[in-house]
């Protein structure tokens, strides 16, 4: 939904001076600022000024102080409350709305991560406006570019809503840099933290490898590996390269690896310096998650498979022979 029933008209709205600010929703985990927020901040810097960052959680003070050092941020609002500790969208959304109202913010921005994707649509629903999701460029204060049909078409959309709720594709914007002066940290408005949902627990997979979404090199494996044991080859090559591990959905569905490794339309979107696709056919849903990688290397036994259409370097052959050979050569170099 792009048009809102409550639209007042672009002209009428642009004449108003009241609503000129951007609210950035800050994501963090274990008191560490999420790098994705810094990409969203760069997008926020192209929207209504000033930019105010919203940080919430009982241990979030250090994060607030860290965000305050970045360019574009003119103020940080901190909600120090344990109710926000687990990122429950039902709890966060009223806080986002209360802060948007206090600032009269025209734009509300977050990274297009699981966190941003679950909170902002709820805030948009409360505000009765549409959300513009997964933007890759800012064309104007109401006009954004975003991929559609799994990245096969690029749409330019204009929202007529007075408040623009926007999630940002992190790979499309560089991370914001630290600036000279430090913004002030103030208390965020209070909001209702009562929620029908409660946090019960979480199982977080731990890995010494780089995080998939922000890694410079990603090595991904596909269905061709045939088993969880064989998929070990992907980890070995990744470790030799200092890379993160990814996978196609077929490999995830077959149980060769954890589903947090899935790259693609319904997985993670990555754009590393180097993406190595091993035994992956290159279905459009997979390409949607990796085709913006700087250099793509593919190993596949089928010379006609679609992955070779996007690959910069292609190796036609058997992964069971070529991957151990590659790993050995990389480790020796
Ligand atoms: P296959 O398509 O089976 O390809 C295996 C490849 O390995 C083939 O090209 C074959 O030539 C090659 N091969 C086989 N044996 C060897 C060997 N010994 N040596 C070398 N090469 C070999 N997929 C994703 O990846 N990510 C997504 O997010 C995603 N989202 C989806 C969302 C929707 C709504 C739908 C409908 C599908 C989605 N898919 C997604 C699934 C996608 O359509 C493909 O089915 C999937 O990507 C195929 O995975 P694959 O390339 O590993 O397997």
């Amino acid at each position: 939904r792009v048009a809102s029933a409550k639209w007042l008209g672009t002209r009428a709205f642009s004449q108003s001076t009241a609503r000129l600010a951007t609210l950035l929703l800050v994501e963090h985990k274990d008191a560490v600022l999420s790098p994705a927020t810094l990409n969203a901040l760069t997008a926020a810097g192209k929207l209504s000024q000033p930019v105010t960052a919203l940080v919430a959680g009982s241990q979030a003070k250090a994060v607030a102080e860290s965000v305050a050092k970045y360019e574009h941020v003119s103020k940080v609002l901190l909600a120090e409350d344990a109710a926000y500790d687990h990122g429950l969208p039902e709890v966060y959304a009223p806080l986002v709305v209360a802060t948007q109202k206090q600032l009269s913010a025209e734009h509300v921005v977050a990274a297009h991560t699981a966190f941003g994707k679950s909170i902002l649509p709820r805030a948009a629903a409360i505000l009765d406006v549409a959300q513009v999701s997964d933007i890759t460029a800012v064309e104007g204060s109401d006009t954004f570019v975003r991929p559609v049909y799994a990245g096969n078409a690029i749409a330019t959309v204009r929202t007529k809503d007075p408040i623009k709720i926007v999630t940002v594709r992190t790979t499309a914007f560089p991370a914001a840099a630290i600036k000279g002066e430090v913004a002030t940290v103030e208390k965020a408005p209070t909001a209702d933290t009562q929620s029908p949902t409660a946090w019960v627990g979480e199982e977080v997979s731990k890995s010494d490898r780089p995080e998939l979404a922000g890694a410079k090199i990603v090595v991904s494996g596909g269905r061709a590996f045939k088993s969880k044991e064989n998929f070990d080859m992907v980890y070995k090559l990744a470790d030799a390269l200092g890379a993160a591990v990814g996978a196609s959905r077929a490999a995830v569905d077959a149980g060769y690896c954890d589903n947090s490794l899935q790259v693609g339309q319904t997985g993670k979107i990555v754009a590393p310096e180097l993406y190595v696709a091993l035994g992956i056919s290159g279905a459009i849903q997979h390409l949607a998650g990796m085709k913006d990688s700087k250099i793509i290397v593919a190993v596949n036994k089928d010379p006609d498979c679609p992955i070779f259409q996007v690959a910069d370097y292609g190796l036609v052959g058997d992964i069971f022979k070529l991957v151990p050979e590659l790993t050995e050569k990389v480790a020796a170099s």
Side-chain angles (χ1 to χ4, degrees):
R1 186 173 74 101
V2 171
S4 152
K6 286 195 174 165
W7 176 46
L8 301 173
T10 310
R11 196 154 170 263
F13 174 62
S14 63
Q15 282 170 349
S16 156
T17 52
R19 194 174 282 123
L20 274 179
T22 292
L23 171 63
L24 172 78
L25 176 61
V26 173
E27 181 172 350
H28 60 93
K29 179 97 181 127
D30 301 329
V32 177
L33 174 64
S34 151
T37 295
L38 298 178
N39 304 99
L41 175 54
T42 299
K46 297 174 189 291
L47 297 168
S48 290
Q49 300 298 305
V51 175
T52 298
L54 174 63
V55 183
S58 63
Q59 308 293 320
K61 193 155 178 253
V63 177
E65 285 163 356
S66 159
V67 175
K69 295 180 192 150
Y70 282 88
E71 60 182 340
H72 311 304
V73 176
S74 68
K75 187 165 65 178
V76 180
L77 292 178
L78 172 62
E80 265 187 303
D81 189 328
Y84 301 110
D85 277 355
H86 303 294
L88 284 179
E90 294 83 353
V91 183
Y92 255 95
L95 175 67
V96 171
V97 171
T99 315
Q100 181 281 326
K101 289 198 166 137
Q102 187 187 73
L103 298 170
S104 281
E106 180 183 8
H107 296 98
V108 180
V109 176
H112 192 72
T113 55
F115 178 80
K117 279 193 278 187
S118 58
I119 295 168
L120 286 207
R122 283 180 166 84
I126 298 169
L127 291 164
D128 194 22
V129 296
Q131 171 165 308
V132 184
S133 295
D134 203 14
I135 64 154
T136 54
V138 174
E139 299 273 295
S141 76
D142 59 358
T143 310
F144 306 93
V145 178
R146 60 183 299 267
V148 291
Y149 304 118
N152 283 302
I154 303 297
T156 301
V157 295
R158 173 177 294 153
T159 171
K160 293 175 175 173
D161 282 321
I163 303 160
K164 286 90 175 159
I165 307 274
V166 177
T167 60
V168 175
R169 182 172 288 207
T170 54
T171 53
F173 294 87
I178 287 182
K179 64 177 174 192
E181 75 250 54
V182 178
T184 55
V185 178
E186 294 170 23
K187 199 169 175 291
T190 44
D192 185 6
T193 53
Q194 296 300 312
S195 163
T197 54
W199 184 82
V200 176
E202 64 188 6
E203 274 177 44
V204 183
S205 52
K206 289 214 161 52
S207 166
D208 293 335
R209 296 186 180 90
E211 214 259 314
L212 180 55
K216 288 199 164 59
I217 307 176
V218 174
V219 178
S220 285
R223 196 197 314 260
F225 282 90
K226 292 191 178 143
S227 73
K228 195 174 176 176
E229 290 69 37
N230 291 340
F231 201 83
D232 250 11
M233 277 185 235
V234 181
Y235 292 108
K236 284 189 179 136
L237 178 56
D239 288 345
L241 286 164
V245 172
S248 71
R249 175 156 147 186
V252 168
D253 287 352
Y256 305 166
C257 59
D258 192 76
N259 67 2
S260 63
L261 302 188
Q262 186 177 317
V263 171
Q265 184 187 341
T266 42
K268 300 231 165 71
I269 310 271
V270 298
E273 303 287 324
L274 173 64
Y275 187 88
V276 183
L278 307 171
I280 291 177
S281 59
I284 53 164
Q285 295 90 352
H286 188 79
L287 300 186
M290 46 62 75
K291 69 177 176 349
D292 291 332
S293 305
K294 309 289 174 294
I295 296 173
I296 298 172
V297 173
V299 182
N300 199 299
K301 69 177 183 187
D302 173 9
D304 296 322
C305 75
I307 194 81
F308 287 133
Q309 285 167 21
V310 298
D312 300 283
Y313 299 94
L315 207 47
V316 178
D318 190 341
I319 46 163
F320 295 108
K321 179 175 174 292
L322 293 174
V323 176
E325 217 173 293
L326 268 173
T327 309
E328 211 174 287
K329 293 220 158 94
V330 171
S333 67

